Amino acid sequence: MDKELFFEQGTSANGVTAKEKIKELFWSVINDTLFRFTLRPMNVWRAFLLRLFGAEIARGVYIHQTVKILRPWNLIMGTKASLDYGCAVRNDAKVFIGDNVSVGAYTTFMPGGHDVRSRGFEFIGKETHIAHGVFIGGQCLIRDVNIGQFSVIGAGSFVTKDIPENVIAFGWPAKVRSERIPNKEYKKYRYDR
């Protein structure tokens, strides 16, 4: 006996057009060949490939060759930002990474999700903003959040809510544990832009 399914078959779950799927396919081939199989010092080449596919990459960034980026056109990286070994950026929505941000090995960015109560399972995309001077430890999972300037996210954390500036946060889910540096001193280093 055939029953009607709750979800609607044949619909695009996240509103991706055929043109974007083809662009994703081309990027996937480039990412798995010309990007991945480069020597570590060939960072300028990897940044060039990302820019070619629409990423906004500032000068002086470091992107390890094992980084996996789903949609470069949804990635913006500031000056001297870095994505370390094995990071994954599953950016269905925009991911902004500020200046002097260091992202530890095997960290995954996953902004957005799906409306599980909808028959069409529509994509709900919110942007991720990582402000200047943030340090993110290894093996973190970052959802669609804002992380304030000079904050530190401890290794292995799951960030589901916004993190204010100049704090140390860690845990599953991540919670603010303390101030990073005294506020008086912090104001000397804070970015104004």
Side-chain angles (χ1 to χ4, degrees):
M1 173 165 114
D2 288 334
K3 282 193 140 194
E4 181 182 5
L5 296 173
F6 172 73
F7 62 91
E8 297 170 354
Q9 289 183 310
T11 60
S12 177
N14 59 358
V16 177
T17 64
K19 182 180 176 183
E20 203 166 44
K21 284 183 181 183
I22 291 168
K23 195 173 171 183
E24 252 181 64
L25 177 66
F26 279 121
W27 166 248
S28 181
V29 169
I30 297 296
N31 191 59
D32 291 341
T33 56
L34 298 175
F35 187 94
R36 188 173 188 81
F37 295 110
T38 58
L39 299 173
R40 186 177 263 177
M42 295 177 70
N43 194 55
V44 173
W45 171 251
R46 291 188 292 276
F48 166 75
L49 290 173
L50 287 167
R51 286 186 194 107
L52 195 64
F53 278 84
E56 294 178 40
I57 307 290
R59 298 225 178 260
V61 300
Y62 173 72
I63 303 162
H64 195 275
Q65 65 264 37
T66 58
V67 169
K68 186 76 172 171
I69 298 166
L70 178 66
R71 295 186 177 115
W73 48 94
N74 280 343
L75 178 64
I76 299 170
M77 286 183 75
T79 306
K80 296 184 181 176
S82 69
L83 291 171
D84 208 348
Y85 189 91
C87 286
V89 185
R90 180 157 176 89
N91 50 345
D92 294 311
K94 287 255 187 216
V95 173
F96 298 89
I97 299 173
D99 298 345
N100 300 304
V101 171
S102 179
V103 180
Y106 297 107
T107 290
T108 300
F109 291 88
M110 292 189 69
H114 296 277
D115 182 357
V116 296
R117 291 182 175 85
S118 161
R119 289 193 70 201
F121 209 54
E122 285 84 20
F123 176 72
I124 303 168
K126 286 174 52 183
E127 298 174 342
T128 297
H129 291 263
I130 311 299
H132 307 303
V134 169
F135 176 81
I136 300 173
Q139 296 186 330
C140 290
L141 179 56
I142 312 291
R143 295 296 306 186
D144 38 7
V145 295
N146 296 313
I147 299 177
Q149 290 187 39
F150 286 96
S151 287
V152 174
I153 306 298
S157 295
F158 180 26
V159 185
T160 58
K161 293 186 172 143
D162 291 353
I163 302 293
E165 54 187 71
N166 189 35
V167 298
I168 297 171
F170 56 89
W172 196 269
K175 292 181 180 161
V176 173
R177 308 299 174 150
S178 70
E179 189 175 65
R180 181 176 182 186
I181 57 176
N183 225 8
K184 188 176 179 182
E185 185 180 349
Y186 166 65
K187 289 180 182 177
K188 290 190 282 185
Y189 303 108
R190 188 178 191 286
Y191 287 78
D192 289 329
R193 53 185 167 118

